[in-house]
Amino acid sequence: MARFEHTVTLAPVPRRWLESCVAALHDLAEDTDTEGGRLLLPDGRPLPGLVLERGRHLRPGARYRSVPVEDGEPEADQCVTVLAWDRRRRTELEIVTVEDDRGHPARIDCVLGLTSAERPREAWLSATLSTGGRKRAAHLGGTGRVDLDLAGWWQATGAGRSPSRPPLRGTLTHALVRVTVTVVPRPAPDGRWRVTVKARVRGRSFARPLLPLAAAVWGRQARRKGAEALDRAAAAWNVHVPALVGKDADRLRADVAAALLDR
């Protein structure tokens, strides 16, 4: 088993701001109308690149498919299905992407969920990559899941007692390796967040006895690369997030609508 640990300092995200943004995004989706499969923003402008293919807008089972802006014909490579849409309980979407690269198909199934939009408590993302048409295709796929306990995160970043378990946890499972990641924040003296990321890597199948050797040879370099990547991500966060949290929910909603129109 190989281990990794690194700590970065991040600009904080206020809880009330995040909750207002989640509500604003739900408002934008619910205020969007449909007309003959087309999606219309609240001001009546058509939303390019996406059509309602099946079901009723935002009802469980509704499926949206991406379309090229040029000819308006649906593509077969990406669709979004509403699994649940209840602001007081749960919002859950399934995103399926299929790519056919020279006869070697790959499919990515993602599920994004939130409990609940009115007062977010938990969020999760799961993904499965499956491949076909290649030798040893099973070794090219895998599954991953990330769970965020928002109540635990706010508890950990406040002045109260630390939560009993890491508020952010993730796993990546491959035929040859399994990676477990935990993220724990704590308040810094200047009001920012000190966030510690820990990872454990375990070999599976015939890779199990090879992992200690690989860790001995490349472990130090891999840990250095991982720390540098986290430092770069933290630097980008600290540049962009303070400007983002300075926007109120109405401004964020307008920016999201503008971004959708620019697709």
Side-chain angles (χ1 to χ4, degrees):
M1 181 175 65
R3 297 177 182 270
F4 169 82
E5 180 176 340
H6 190 64
T7 299
V8 295
T9 302
L10 302 178
V13 175
R15 179 174 186 171
R16 289 186 178 180
W17 179 85
L18 178 64
E19 291 178 349
S20 68
C21 289
V22 170
L25 294 176
H26 276 71
D27 288 341
L28 178 61
E30 291 167 3
D31 291 342
T32 299
D33 202 358
T34 60
E35 182 180 275
R38 294 191 310 162
L39 300 178
L40 305 176
L41 291 174
D43 60 7
R45 289 178 295 176
L47 180 64
L50 198 67
V51 297
L52 176 61
E53 183 182 63
R54 185 183 68 190
R56 298 178 62 185
H57 183 48
L58 297 184
R59 297 293 181 88
R63 185 169 67 190
Y64 307 83
R65 188 169 294 279
S66 63
V67 297
V69 177
E70 294 78 10
D71 55 23
E73 293 297 325
E75 292 182 336
D77 67 340
Q78 190 173 63
C79 64
V80 179
T81 302
V82 177
L83 302 180
W85 191 279
D86 187 332
R87 296 178 66 123
R88 293 176 297 176
R89 297 180 180 178
R90 180 168 59 99
T91 302
E92 194 169 34
L93 305 174
E94 180 188 49
I95 304 101
V96 177
T97 303
V98 178
E99 295 186 1
D100 188 358
D101 181 13
R102 296 182 180 180
H104 303 298
R107 176 184 172 117
I108 304 175
D109 294 79
C110 296
V111 175
L112 177 64
L114 175 72
T115 306
S116 65
E118 292 189 350
R119 189 171 179 81
R121 299 189 304 274
E122 297 176 343
W124 60 92
L125 171 66
S126 64
T128 301
L129 170 63
S130 54
T131 60
R134 303 180 183 182
K135 294 181 178 180
R136 300 178 181 176
H139 294 125
L140 300 177
T143 63
R145 183 176 175 94
V146 177
D147 291 278
L148 173 59
D149 176 4
L150 286 162
W153 187 277
W154 303 127
Q155 180 183 346
T157 55
R161 187 174 59 182
S162 298
S164 58
R165 61 178 184 175
L168 179 57
R169 305 174 304 280
T171 57
L172 176 64
T173 304
H174 181 268
L176 301 180
V177 70
R178 179 180 174 87
V179 182
T180 304
V181 179
T182 61
V183 180
V184 178
R186 65 183 186 276
D190 59 0
R192 296 187 294 172
W193 294 340
R194 293 281 290 168
V195 179
T196 299
V197 180
K198 295 182 180 180
R200 294 187 303 174
V201 183
R202 296 178 180 271
R204 304 182 70 208
S205 185
F206 62 82
R208 189 190 303 270
L210 300 178
L211 183 61
L213 176 61
V217 176
W218 295 295
R220 180 176 297 181
Q221 181 180 5
R223 286 190 290 269
R224 178 173 57 82
K225 294 288 187 182
E228 291 174 351
L230 287 176
D231 288 339
R232 288 194 298 270
W237 174 287
N238 292 330
V239 168
H240 298 292
V241 167
L244 189 61
V245 300
K247 300 179 180 180
D248 60 21
D250 290 338
R251 180 59 185 172
L252 181 66
R253 171 175 166 156
D255 288 348
V256 171
L260 291 173
L261 289 171
D262 289 339
R263 291 180 58 183

